[in-house]
């Protein structure tokens, strides 16, 4: 059966619990036993338009439950869309949809009308959620199941801003509004899209339809009566302070992107972000629209990430670049510099860069298990352990922009470009070392060659130094040498019985070529053998490798 069919067949809390991967007792406890006042923590964040937004964040156990429910309801929504052959009418909270797809239909239109729904999440209360799942023809759920869903997703009789279920629930309930507004837009030769609580209508007509908006002064427009009544009848309200129309010749924006000639970042926004980056690279601090000077990177990185994603996606859509085009120019070049500065210049801890994610898993567990031996790498206070080293997170964006994907290729580029890249930054604290940690096998030979070519330092599989100082704060550490030729890899540090562990009838093969019928690879080994048994494993062979990392932290001296 399909996910939707299973949900429609459910009649009890127990049925729903099983569908979303929970024991009925665990689900009942989260709903009924935890006091309402203990389910969420609330705080406010400033709005861009002024004022404050209340965020109600669910406690971890409830948040996990809500994520399970969100995943299940997302499957149901996809089944409904596929069965009805519907294209998405909303562009938020959906895979493949974004502010870019929301803005694109409005390019080169004479008029662009923007409206905002007031109190979008809070306007959807417990009764409305329960009633939707009971009466909606696509769901038509048993009343008891609808009640449980409403209990999971609502707080203080509303959808909370901060719960992972609020986006999918609000999108399902707002679909009827989308259907009605698409019909209204089509009637008056307009285009309609919605992104969460942002509604946009646009047209190429010489006169904007008064049924959608009426001009009451040269700079003031109000929603037309048919549009206002359609929104109200669907259970929503218009925020009167955010209704505006922009004509061709002025800057037309949709969800923060300009649409006059093509979808793009607003020019003044990008200029401001670029200026903040340059100031950071020069002095170590930047100023953001009158705020106090800051050296914090998350906000600035988020803004530049937004610029990069939009400009990159638009360039792809316009065939200005190909999917594999990674030339360092424009916003990509600036983003690469910021990521380089973040990871290698303004470090808060020594950074270890591994060849793969499984290596990170092994090392984190080894450091934890050998905490008493290496207090310089991890501290223990009571039952709390705090690592004093960090690991490079191989995210898709970081790997793509920094060209530092798993394996030796990215490390070679980093070694060759490191000193030249550092010259760009006038502010270079370099407070901690960057450690390339690699397997001492045939894949390392090209890294050794890159080091010799770049800084004339000789490294080989049989050389036995604890570490190799390449330049500035960049170091190399390799797995301890073994045998006549020195060849080794990190998995060799586990005992033979562990390496011979059988999983689902398969044996471990750490190589790149696997027999999928009889063998499993590194990810399965790390997640199903090493991680679950970390407290039982013998980590003694990791001491020499961690000792080499420890030696780097003691050798390095900031400039």
């Amino acid at each position: 059966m399909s996910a939707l069919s299973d949900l429609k067949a459910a009649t009890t809390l127990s049925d729903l619990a099983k569908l979303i991967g929970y024991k009925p007792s665990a689900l009942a406890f989260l709903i009924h036993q935890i006091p309402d006042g203990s389910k969420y923590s609330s705080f406010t964040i400033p709005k861009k338009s002024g004022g404050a937004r209340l965020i109600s964040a669910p406690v971890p156990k409830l948040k996990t439950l809500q994520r399970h429910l969100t995943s299940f309801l997302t499957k149901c929504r996809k089944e409904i869309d596929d069965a009805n052959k519907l294209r998405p009418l909303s562009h938020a909270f959906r895979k493949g949809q974004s502010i870019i797809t929301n803005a694109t239909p409005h390019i080169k239109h004479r008029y662009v009308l923007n409206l905002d729904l007031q109190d979008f999440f809070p306007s959807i209360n417990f009764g409305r959620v329960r009633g939707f799942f009971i009466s909606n023809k696509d769901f038509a759920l048993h009343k008891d199941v609808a009640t449980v869903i409403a209990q999971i997703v609502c707080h203080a009789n509303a959808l909370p801003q901060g719960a992972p279920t609020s986006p999918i629930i609000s999108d399902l309930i707002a679909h009827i509004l989308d259907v009605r507004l698409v019909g209204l837009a089509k009637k008056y030769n307009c285009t309609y899209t919605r992104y969460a609580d942002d509604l946009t209508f646009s047209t190429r007509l010489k006169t904007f339809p008064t049924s959608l908006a009426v001009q009451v002064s040269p700079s003031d427009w109000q929603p037309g009566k048919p549009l206002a009544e359609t929104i109200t009848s669907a259970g929503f309200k218009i925020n009167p302070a955010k209704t505006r129309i922009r004509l061709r010749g002025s800057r037309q924006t949709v969800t923060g992107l300009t649409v006059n000639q093509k979808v793009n970042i607003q020019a003044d926004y990008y200029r401001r972000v670029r200026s903040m980056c340059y100031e950071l690279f020069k002095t170590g601090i930047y100023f953001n629209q009158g705020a106090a000077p800051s050296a914090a990177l998350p906000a600035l990185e988020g803004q530049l990430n937004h610029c990069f994603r939009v400009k990159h996606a638009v360039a792809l859509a316009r065939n200005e670049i190909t999917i594999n085009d990674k030339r360092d120019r424009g916003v990509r070049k600036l983003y690469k510099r910021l990521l380089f500065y973040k990871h290698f210049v303004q470090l808060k801890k020594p950074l270890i860069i591994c060849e793969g994610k499984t290596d990170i898993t092994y090392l984190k567990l080894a450091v934890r298990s050998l905490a008493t031996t290496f207090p310089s790498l991890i501290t223990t206070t009571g039952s709390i352990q705090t690592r004093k080293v960090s690991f490079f997170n191989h995210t898709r964006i970081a790997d793509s922009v920094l060209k530092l994907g798993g394996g030796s290729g990215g490390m070679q580029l980093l070694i060759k470009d490191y000193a030249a890249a550092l010259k760009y930054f006038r502010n270079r604290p370099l407070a901690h070392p960057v450690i390339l940690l690699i397997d001492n096998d045939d894949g390392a030979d090209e890294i050794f060659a890159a080091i010799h070519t770049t800084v004339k330092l000789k490294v080989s599989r049989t050389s036995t130094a604890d570490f190799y100082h390449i330049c500035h704060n960049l170091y190399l550490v390799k797995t301890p040498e073994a045998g006549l030729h020195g060849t080794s890899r990190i998995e060799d540090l586990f005992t033979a019985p562990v390496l011979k562990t059988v999983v689902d009838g398969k044996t471990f093969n750490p190589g790149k070529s696997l027999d999928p019928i009889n063998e499993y690879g590194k990810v399965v080994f790390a997640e199903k053998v090493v991680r679950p048994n970390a407290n039982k494993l013998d980590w003694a062979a990791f001491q020499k490798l961690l000792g080499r990392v420890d030696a780097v932290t003691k050798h390095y001296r900031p400039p």
Side-chain angles (χ1 to χ4, degrees), residues 140-425:
L141 303 187
H142 189 279
K143 60 183 180 60
D144 292 343
V145 174
T147 300
V148 174
I149 291 176
Q151 289 172 327
I152 294 172
V153 306
C154 290
H155 172 62
N157 195 34
L159 291 184
Q161 184 90 30
T165 40
S166 295
I168 179 71
I169 298 294
S170 63
D171 196 58
L172 288 169
I173 291 176
H175 178 70
I176 185 62
L177 173 66
D178 293 329
V179 172
R180 294 174 183 176
L181 293 183
V182 163
L184 189 65
K186 185 176 181 180
K187 180 178 179 180
Y188 296 104
N189 295 313
C190 291
T191 298
Y192 164 78
T193 64
R194 177 176 65 84
Y195 189 91
D197 56 356
D198 291 323
L199 313 182
T200 304
F201 294 84
S202 66
T203 184
R204 292 187 173 93
L205 296 174
K206 292 184 177 180
T207 303
F208 197 82
T210 55
S211 293
L212 299 182
V214 179
Q215 188 173 16
V216 294
S217 73
S219 60
D220 187 19
W221 292 71
Q222 293 181 356
K225 185 176 179 181
L227 174 58
E229 290 178 345
T230 301
I231 292 174
T232 302
S233 67
F236 295 98
K237 296 179 181 179
I238 297 172
N239 184 345
K242 292 189 176 181
T243 299
R244 68 181 189 278
I245 278 188
R246 293 291 182 266
L247 281 67
R248 183 185 297 160
S250 61
R251 185 172 66 186
Q252 297 172 319
T253 62
V254 177
T255 45
L257 304 178
T258 59
V259 293
N260 294 72
Q261 295 300 319
K262 64 178 183 179
V263 174
N264 206 351
I265 294 290
Q266 296 181 44
D268 56 351
Y269 179 89
Y270 180 56
R271 282 195 298 267
R272 186 172 68 250
V273 172
R274 186 175 58 194
S275 176
M276 288 190 292
C277 287
Y278 289 157
E279 193 66 23
L280 176 71
F281 301 156
K282 180 180 178 181
T283 67
I285 60 173
Y286 62 91
F287 298 84
N288 187 4
Q289 292 185 317
S294 174
L297 294 183
L300 182 55
E301 183 184 355
Q303 293 176 51
L304 188 53
N305 176 277
H306 170 64
C307 294
F308 170 74
R309 286 179 179 273
V310 171
K311 286 180 172 289
H312 183 70
V314 171
L316 281 174
R318 294 169 61 88
N319 296 316
E320 295 171 354
I321 61 173
T322 65
I323 191 68
N324 295 318
D325 190 338
K326 295 182 180 179
R327 288 174 288 179
D328 294 329
R329 57 184 183 180
V331 68
R332 175 184 282 272
K333 187 174 184 179
L334 181 60
Y335 193 24
K336 181 179 181 180
R337 283 174 173 164
L338 181 64
L339 291 178
F340 190 98
Y341 183 86
K342 169 189 174 181
H343 291 293
F344 311 134
V345 180
Q346 197 197 68
L347 297 90
K348 304 302 181 184
K349 298 178 180 179
L351 175 69
I352 299 174
I353 304 178
C354 298
E355 294 178 279
K357 293 183 178 180
T358 54
D359 296 355
I360 296 174
T361 300
Y362 307 148
L363 290 167
K364 286 182 177 180
L365 295 172
V367 169
R368 188 185 73 183
S369 299
L370 299 171
T372 56
T373 307
F374 297 103
S376 61
L377 303 183
I378 188 170
T379 58
T380 303
T381 305
S383 60
I384 305 298
Q385 290 185 319
T386 305
R387 279 195 307 272
K388 300 172 74 172
V389 294
S390 60
F391 293 86
F392 183 82
N393 184 14
H394 287 280
T395 64
R396 183 178 60 84
I397 285 291
D399 283 350
S400 171
V401 176
L402 283 174
K403 302 173 185 175
L404 196 57
S408 64
M411 290 188 179
Q412 293 174 57
L413 287 175
L414 184 65
I415 290 166
K416 293 176 181 178
D417 298 341
Y418 200 83
L422 275 178
K423 290 180 180 179
Y424 181 80
F425 306 101

Side-chain angles (χ1 to χ4, degrees), residues 12-44:
T12 65
L13 178 150
S14 295
D15 293 339
L16 177 63
K18 293 172 184 176
L19 290 178
I20 60 177
Y22 265 74
K23 291 181 179 179
S25 59
L27 177 55
F29 176 82
L30 289 170
I31 294 175
H32 301 299
Q33 298 302 314
I34 299 178
D36 288 344
S38 301
K39 290 181 178 179
Y40 291 80
S41 60
S42 298
F43 55 92
T44 59

